[in-house]
Amino acid sequence: MNSVFDSRILNLVIFFPLLVGALVVFLPKDEKGQIRAVTLAGMIGSFLTTVWAWSRFDIHSPIEFQLEYRLQWLSDVGISYHVGVDGLSVALVLLTGVLGPMVVLSSWTFVQERVKEFHLALLVLQTAMFGAFTSIDTMLFFMFFEAVLVPMYLLIGVWGSEERQKAAVKFFLYTMVGSVLMLLALFAVYFLSAPAGARSFDYSTMYNGLMGASRELAGYLKANPDGNGVGLTPVAFALFRYGPWLFLAFSLAFAIKVPMFPLHTWLPDAHVQAPVAGSIVLAGVMLKLGTYGFWRFAVPLFPVAARQYQLMFAVLAVIGIVYGALMCLAQRDIKKLIAYSSVSHLGFCMLGIFAFTPEGATGSAYQMLNHGVSTGALFLLFGMIYERRHARLMSDYGGIARVMPVYAAFFLIVTFSSIAVPGTNGFVGEFLVLLGSFKSTLPLWLSVTAATGVILGAAYMLWMVQKVFFGQVTHQENLGLSDLNKRELAAALPFIILIAVMGLRPQPFLDVLNTSTERYVARAMYASGDGPADDRQVRVLVRQLPRPTVAAAAAVPSMMPGPTPDGLPRPARAMMVKPLQPLQPTLQPGQAQVLP
């Protein structure tokens, strides 16, 4: 049963860290203990708001985006404050909330300079990430997507290591280049998806406006593989001519953020130079903005182009898996090894996205959560030993399991998660991705090559563990190392619990993710020309919300081919205010249902 507060939950989730930041602003900068305590309490409160949102998400609801809230903002151009969550976004919101307190605890004693500014940057970054994952209005998403860059740039450039400024500038420039191209493509979709008077940056308007044209284009290309677009309606012809370029513009922005090979070169520098808190946020959440962008925008808006470039992106994903693993084997810097492992693990996420199968998509979504837990934990644990020794090379350690047994046990458990040992969370995600890849239309050799990444992952992680933790203590400095204290245990233990729970009891998480997986695969297959026969796989459910200019929109001729079944032009029908109706099991194969 819906609560009257449900439509306000996401507002609280998004802006609660910012409210805490307003309190931190008024604290004296010399009161470092108060600043840390207030920020930690705020992050715990923020985590509780994400748990509330997770608990209110109904996996049986026919509505795709739940907990919706919409406020008119720039109504003349169709920009609104419109937020909501589906299965994937509510899971990523929960992951962001979980990591918040651990990020503060990881930097409790490590950051001693500009403590107030550091914690303000963390709180602003938290709000920006929440906003990006919950935005339904595409322009609002872009604003939050870009807002993430500023606090992360400061975290790297101000509180990083020796070459922090170079790494921060490189990170900022890479992501900005992709974002500019995505903004241009976003404007193009805005003009293509609806006629004047009915245009909007709302995701439902953009998707539904292009849906029929994408289907028309897919049928045309299936019948005329070498056609020149003659006979297509204006919107379908625009997608025929410019759709691949628009898809690549979106994809470039998201591929940089993932990052995919060969656009990954900013990531190792950013991780190595960033403080531990920055590395946890970067690996745990920020990189997921890239995979999430492919899932939410690039593939659904341009399904024909996505299928045309399916093999290319799958090949790049597999190259990233193998290349990242081989680079890990060549590293002697522990932090850089963990950074390159992100390139390899996120290659599995991208392979699952472009497999276009239910198993691959579910595995990709689950792997996004797994990577945030396991790689975030690796950076957290490394930060603890770095704070003691201020050394990153494996040769500076050796045999420390003798003096830090609890720390070694925790690190080994996280290592098992990273290499996908059965019983851990990593196994579930990588197994589903590989299963989906084998069941897809991708070449068999590609899936077999991707599977070697599991072996290589075990090789580089176990080699690193053996060099750092076992054998004789080779440095006298390591004999005096202290084991984990209570604060460090409080920061590390939640990761260990999540690894066990998500590995042994994945179904509650998979049930939530499946609500998005089915729709994602349906959208990828919708424009294939020969979609699946199962009605549940071909439904595309998007809630249409009304624009205020009903009369003006209804008066504009439709740009979409053909009227809707009720005889109204498509843009006019999209503007009508109707209550949500229950799903009717009368769809035929190849049809798509849009909730009015």
Side-chain angles (χ1 to χ4, degrees), residues 28 66 73 96 100 133 166 198 236 245 275 330 372 397 448 489 494 499 511 515:
Q66 301 180 38
W73 186 11
T96 307
F133 288 132
K166 176 183 176 181
W245 294 105
Y397 299 97
V448 172
L489 284 171
I499 288 171
D511 287 341
T515 62

Side-chain angles (χ1 to χ4, degrees), residues 311-326:
L311 181 59
M312 183 189 80
F313 277 92
V315 169
L316 290 176
V318 173
I319 292 176
I321 292 172
V322 177
Y323 169 83
L326 293 177

Side-chain angles (χ1 to χ4, degrees), residues 29 61 72 134 141 154 157 169 173 195 197 200 205 243 248 251 260 278 286 308 310 363 384 467 501 505 560 570 579:
K29 62 171 56 179
S61 173
Q72 291 296 336
T134 57
F141 167 80
L154 294 176
V169 170
L173 291 179
S200 172
T205 301
L248 291 175
S251 298
M260 289 188 71
M286 272 194 62
Q308 291 172 343
Q310 177 188 14
M384 294 175 182
K467 293 281 290 182
V501 171
R505 289 282 297 165
M560 296 301 297
R570 292 181 185 271

Side-chain angles (χ1 to χ4, degrees), residues 27-36 112 115-117:
L27 294 177
K29 62 171 56 179
D30 295 332
E31 295 293 339
K32 299 179 181 180
Q34 288 185 19
I35 293 171
R36 295 186 180 105
Q112 296 294 335
V115 174
K116 183 176 181 177
E117 291 82 356

Side-chain angles (χ1 to χ4, degrees), residues 70-148:
R70 193 184 195 210
L71 180 67
Q72 291 296 336
W73 186 11
L74 301 175
S75 56
D76 290 342
V77 293
I79 299 177
S80 62
Y81 172 78
H82 187 190
V83 293
V85 288
D86 67 349
L88 176 61
S89 54
V90 76
L92 291 173
V93 164
L94 181 64
L95 173 66
T96 307
V98 168
L99 293 182
M102 270 65 86
V103 168
V104 178
L105 288 173
S106 70
S107 58
W108 197 270
T109 56
F110 187 78
V111 175
Q112 296 294 335
E113 300 295 331
R114 299 178 179 173
V115 174
K116 183 176 181 177
E117 291 82 356
F118 175 83
H119 289 87
L120 283 173
L122 290 179
L123 292 165
V124 172
L125 181 59
Q126 193 85 339
T127 286
M129 293 186 298
F130 281 142
F133 288 132
T134 57
S135 295
I136 301 178
D137 187 280
T138 56
M139 186 56 69
L140 184 67
F141 167 80
F142 180 81
M143 293 175 183
F144 280 121
F145 186 79
E146 291 302 292
V148 168

Side-chain angles (χ1 to χ4, degrees), residues 12 46 82 107 120 133 146 173 193 195 238 260 275 303 342 368 375 381 401 404 415 451 455 471 534 537 559 586:
L12 183 62
S46 178
H82 187 190
S107 58
L120 283 173
F133 288 132
E146 291 302 292
L173 291 179
S193 59
M260 289 188 71
S342 288
M368 294 182 206
T375 307
L381 292 172
M404 301 179 68
T415 297
I455 302 171
D534 188 351
Q537 295 297 315
M559 293 178 63
T586 58

Side-chain angles (χ1 to χ4, degrees), residues 163-201:
E163 299 183 0
R164 56 186 180 272
Q165 294 181 356
K166 176 183 176 181
V169 170
K170 190 175 182 179
F171 157 75
F172 197 88
L173 291 179
Y174 261 75
T175 50
M176 277 297 295
V177 169
S179 298
V180 168
L181 293 177
M182 183 177 72
L183 180 61
L184 295 176
L186 190 59
F187 280 118
V189 176
Y190 170 78
F191 287 107
L192 278 176
S193 59
R199 291 180 180 134
S200 172
F201 283 97

